[in-house]
Amino acid sequence: MTGDQQDMMQRLRGLLPPGWFGDSNPVRDAVLTGCAQMLSWCYTLYAFARDQTRLRSASGGWLDMIGLDFFGATLPRYANQSDDSYRNRLQVNLFRERATHAAVAKVLLDLTGRAPMVVEPARPADVGGLGVSFALGATGRVGSIKLPYQAFVTAYRPPYSGPAGWPGVATWSFGMNSGSAVAGSVQLTPPVSDADLLAAVEAVKPIGATVWVSIAN
């Protein structure tokens, strides 16, 4: 294996002039073994340091430092969240679409699992028109070109957070053979607060646009 003690030993032997020490020389091998061990440790440290410079290979606290470097305190690791799970969150947010109608809808869907309602009064696709998506006497949204660069968003809170949606001991659906399960730490949904939803919209909305947000259950 490249960089291990045996590899370093072979490399050192290859640097020695042929014929000086013979095929078998315990003293030579003892000295080279010590040097090879040290060089192997140095190579391991180098390989580890190299991995920590890339999002796809960083781990532990180094991955948290990458998240802090790119996103500040807005995207911390959840409690007990694995490196792979946190890395995926960082990648999704690093390449996330921004400054569009779809970006606002997508970030709220990702956070809550529920599609929000995003309405731009000056956008015909959101408010329709006669003979298009609604007609006189039918229910529809009323648009207005007097509200440019504005949007009204209804965000919906997650249906449940943590074990609230799991059956408990006192419920009829709980039993040894009922197909129920006990929620472990990795199964708990990270809490999403109303402040998280507002911050998410603020992070992806176009600069200069006004977004009015209503949060509902």
Side-chain angles (χ1 to χ4, degrees):
M1 178 179 175
T2 301
D4 64 6
Q5 183 176 348
Q6 185 63 31
D7 178 56
M8 292 299 180
M9 186 75 166
Q10 294 297 330
R11 292 171 184 267
L12 290 174
R13 283 179 178 175
L15 296 175
L16 296 177
W20 277 26
F21 300 98
D23 294 335
S24 177
N25 191 310
V27 176
R28 176 205 61 187
D29 291 345
V31 174
L32 293 184
T33 297
C35 294
Q37 179 65 31
M38 179 191 65
L39 291 173
S40 176
W41 180 85
C42 290
Y43 183 83
T44 301
L45 181 61
Y46 152 75
F48 176 80
R50 179 190 59 194
D51 287 345
Q52 307 319 306
T53 63
R54 298 293 183 269
L55 175 60
R56 290 186 177 181
S57 55
S59 60
W62 300 97
L63 185 59
D64 292 77
M65 289 179 64
I66 290 176
L68 185 64
D69 185 33
F70 275 95
F71 301 104
T74 62
L75 202 68
R77 185 194 296 256
Y78 295 134
N80 301 319
Q81 187 173 24
S82 68
D83 284 346
D84 288 339
S85 176
Y86 186 42
R87 187 185 347 270
N88 183 63
R89 284 180 59 215
L90 293 177
Q91 289 177 326
V92 167
N93 284 276
L94 187 62
F95 298 105
R96 179 180 294 283
E97 180 180 349
R98 288 175 170 82
T100 67
H101 181 284
V104 174
K106 182 67 165 58
V107 72
L108 292 174
L109 176 62
D110 289 344
L111 275 175
T112 66
R114 304 175 68 183
M117 183 170 61
V118 182
V119 178
E120 296 180 55
R123 182 173 183 254
D126 288 346
V127 296
L130 294 178
V132 182
S133 60
F134 70 92
L136 294 178
T139 301
R141 307 182 187 100
V142 177
S144 173
I145 58 175
K146 294 183 179 181
L147 297 173
Y149 312 114
Q150 296 192 45
F152 295 87
V153 176
T154 301
Y156 300 99
R157 298 182 180 94
Y160 64 85
S161 179
W166 289 74
V169 175
T171 61
W172 66 269
S173 60
F174 186 87
M176 295 299 293
N177 297 314
S178 66
S180 301
V182 177
S185 60
V186 296
Q187 295 170 313
L188 301 183
T189 303
V192 178
S193 67
D194 291 355
D196 292 333
L197 301 181
L198 295 176
V201 172
E202 181 66 27
V204 300
K205 78 175 186 68
I207 297 297
T210 300
V211 180
W212 305 91
V213 181
S214 173
I215 301 176
N217 291 323

